[in-house]
Structure formats: C-alpha cells, structure tokens
Amino acid sequence: TENEQDSLVLPIAERAIALAPQDPRGYALKGRALMWSDPSGAIQAAIQGIDIDPTFAPLYAVQSVAFTNLGRWQEGLRNAQRAYELDPQDIFVLTSYQWPLTYVGRYQEAIDYLEGAIAISPNLINPYFYLAALYRLPRVSQPEMAIGTYNRVLELQPTNAKAYLRLCQTYANVNNARFDVAQPYCDAAIRLDPNYGEAYMQRGQMQYARRNYEGAIESFNECIANGSTRIECWYLRGFAHYRLNNCDDAWGILEESRPMAVNQNLPTVVESIDNVMDAITLRCPGYSGRSVPTPVPPTSPPPTPIGGFG
C-alpha cells in the first residue's frame, strides 16, 4: 500500500539528509514519506528544506498535500500555486495540486492538472488512478471517463491488478449497478494477485447483493485471511450467515464486528449490526432476550507533545 511504501522511503530520506544536509531533495523526500501519515511532520520537513532552498518546488507541493490533510485547504492551495509557479513541468507538483482543488470542489481544475501531468509523462501510472478517482466522485459522476482511464492503465500495464479492481468497483457503483459486468474484473484482479484483500471484499459485496451468501462468506473469509481491515469483510460476513440461518456464526461475527465499527466511527454500520443482532434475538432459538453488547468507547490518541512532532 501507499502507506507501506512511505514507511520504506522514510529511512532513505533520513539517510539522504544525514549525508547531504544542504540538499533540499532529502527534505522533500522526507516530506513525501510523511505527508499522509504525519502531515505536521511533513510540513516541518518541508520548512527545513525551504530554509535551504526557497525555490525548490516539490517542498511547496509537499506542504500543499500536508495542509490539505490537516483541513487547511487555503494554505494547501497557496502552497500548490507557489509550487506550480516555480516548476510547472514537475509531475509531483501537478499531481499534488489536485488534492486541495478537489477538497474545495474545483474538480475541473483538478482534472486539468492531472491531464497536464499525463501529457508530460504518459507512461506514469499514478496520475491515471488519481484522474479516474476524480471521475468517480459523485459530484463529477463521469463513470465512462473513469472506465476509459482504467483501460488506458491496462494498455500500459496489462497485468495491473489495481486497475481491474477499480473497473470492478466502477461498474458495481454506477446507477443500475452492473454486477454481471463488474465481477469478471474483480475475478481478474484476484487471478493476478491472489492475496488482494480489497478485491475479495468487493467481490463479496457483489455476491451478497446478488444473494449468493455462501460465495460472499467465502470471499469475505479470503479478504480477512489476506490482511484487509475493511469492516465490510466482517459485518457483511455476519449478515450472510444470518441470511443462511447460521445464527451462532452470525452472532459471534457480529459481536466481533460491532466494536470494530465503533472504533472506526461508523454509526450507520453500528446501527445495521444492531438491527441484525436484534433480529437474531427475535428469530433464532436460544437467543431470545439476549442484549446487544455495548463495547467500550475508543480510546483517544495522546496529544502531540508541545514543540515537536515525534
């Protein structure tokens, strides 16, 4: 995943800074490694780099993404604009600009910058995924453009499992969902990457929607076995067992799923779980009168120490 890649990059960035403390590229690399997981730390790294070279565009691009992730969108836009003024041909600068633009609803401008990045480097894959994700947003709602973009990725990389999964998800989420068209793309993603937890999740969701509960349970089990933390693989698996009258399995899985949904701050999922557990108490022998468990509220993370970001 992107976060895992960033964790691998961080030691390299730290080493680069140690070897060449007056080179802004090390600070930009460190900022890129932190801008998703620790945006405040990314901003700090970028500021250190700007102190060395205030004209190095990627440092401002790092800040644009980091400020956006902190909800400070105007500062994100200001830094993105400064990065673009300094180097309008830098791919990272162009792809970064789309994040604050998207969050303030300037979708067409975000699309334009991504298309600019693709025009400069048409064989680079990530801008295509960002562009297609924009087309899939409800307020943009151009699934046909998303489909075309993912197919372009497959022209460049015919074995890209992520592109197959995104095609599957796009067809599954259009109006009048096309599960019959979508599922072969999920199947293709799994053939290419048998450990792709998210692909099993999407296939399981479609199987559940089509009342193939046995198949859904199998897919959700594979989702969990392959390390996915997506809540759908837990609670929908419980729902599928309930639909098959496997009350014991359903209850046990939903008991496990409910605190997960609470910790992930998903109130609608918690409500759905409660409804099914209530139904189990009404319809399943041996469960009459059982109360739905109430998990301990999630523990808040400790505050960041004053004067530092770890």
Side-chain angles (χ1 to χ4, degrees):
T1 66
E2 197 166 80
N3 284 341
E4 289 170 340
Q5 292 170 353
D6 291 345
S7 68
L8 296 173
V9 169
L10 186 57
I12 299 171
E14 297 281 14
R15 179 67 174 158
I17 292 169
L19 290 172
Q22 297 303 308
D23 189 330
R25 291 176 294 179
Y27 300 94
L29 188 62
K30 181 177 180 179
R32 290 182 69 167
L34 293 173
M35 63 189 188
W36 298 106
S37 60
D38 179 10
S40 296
I43 292 166
Q44 188 179 60
I47 290 171
Q48 289 176 304
I50 290 168
D51 286 342
I52 294 164
D53 184 354
T55 66
F56 192 57
L59 293 165
Y60 296 93
V62 163
Q63 291 199 115
S64 76
V65 176
F67 276 122
T68 299
N69 284 332
L70 291 171
R72 295 162 66 177
W73 300 320
Q74 293 307 316
E75 290 180 80
L77 287 169
R78 179 172 57 80
N79 278 277
Q81 180 60 35
R82 180 61 179 146
Y84 183 72
E85 290 167 356
L86 289 168
D87 192 349
Q89 298 298 305
D90 186 286
I91 300 298
F92 175 59
V93 166
L94 290 167
T95 56
S96 296
Y97 209 153
Q98 58 114 2
W99 295 110
L101 288 170
T102 297
Y103 275 92
V104 298
R106 291 161 59 178
Y107 303 115
Q108 187 55 54
E109 290 175 77
I111 288 169
D112 291 342
Y113 279 103
L114 287 172
E115 288 180 341
I118 289 168
I120 293 170
S121 187
N123 293 323
L124 194 64
I125 295 300
N126 275 352
Y128 291 102
F129 281 109
Y130 295 144
L131 179 60
L134 272 171
Y135 285 133
R136 290 176 59 199
L137 288 175
R139 293 190 179 183
V140 179
S141 191
Q142 296 186 44
E144 69 289 343
M145 294 295 290
I147 289 166
T149 305
Y150 292 132
N151 280 322
R152 175 59 180 151
V153 172
L154 291 174
E155 290 175 11
L156 296 168
Q157 293 185 356
T159 60
N160 190 300
K162 181 179 176 181
Y164 280 106
L165 172 59
R166 296 292 183 256
L167 280 166
C168 175
Q169 292 171 326
T170 303
Y171 279 112
N173 289 288
V174 295
N175 291 333
N176 301 317
R178 296 292 308 279
F179 295 145
D180 57 326
V181 177
Q183 184 157 334
Y185 288 109
C186 272
D187 294 341
I190 290 167
R191 281 196 302 273
L192 289 165
D193 182 358
N195 302 314
Y196 203 165
E198 190 181 355
Y200 288 110
M201 178 206 71
Q202 182 61 45
R203 185 168 74 178
Q205 285 181 297
M206 293 187 297
Q207 290 168 320
Y208 181 85
R210 300 172 83 179
R211 301 183 182 181
N212 177 6
Y213 301 123
E214 294 92 345
I217 290 167
E218 182 179 338
S219 291
F220 292 138
N221 282 336
E222 289 291 338
C223 168
I224 293 166
N226 284 288
S228 176
T229 58
R230 293 292 296 265
I231 188 67
E232 294 89 345
C233 297
W234 270 266
Y235 82 91
L236 286 177
R237 182 168 52 112
F239 290 4
H241 277 292
Y242 169 69
R243 297 292 185 185
L244 294 171
N245 293 316
N246 299 332
C247 297
D248 292 343
D249 288 332
W251 186 268
I253 291 167
L254 294 177
E255 272 191 318
E256 184 181 6
S257 303
R258 193 178 190 279
M260 294 171 64
V262 171
N263 286 330
Q264 293 180 34
N265 193 28
L266 299 170
T268 56
V269 173
V270 174
E271 183 179 0
S272 296
I273 291 171
D274 288 349
N275 290 338
V276 173
M277 294 185 85
D278 285 340
I280 292 172
T281 66
L282 295 173
R283 299 177 186 175
C284 294
Y287 286 87
S288 178
R290 285 211 193 184
S291 59
V292 174
T294 303
V296 176
T299 302
S300 299
T304 301
I306 295 173
F309 299 100

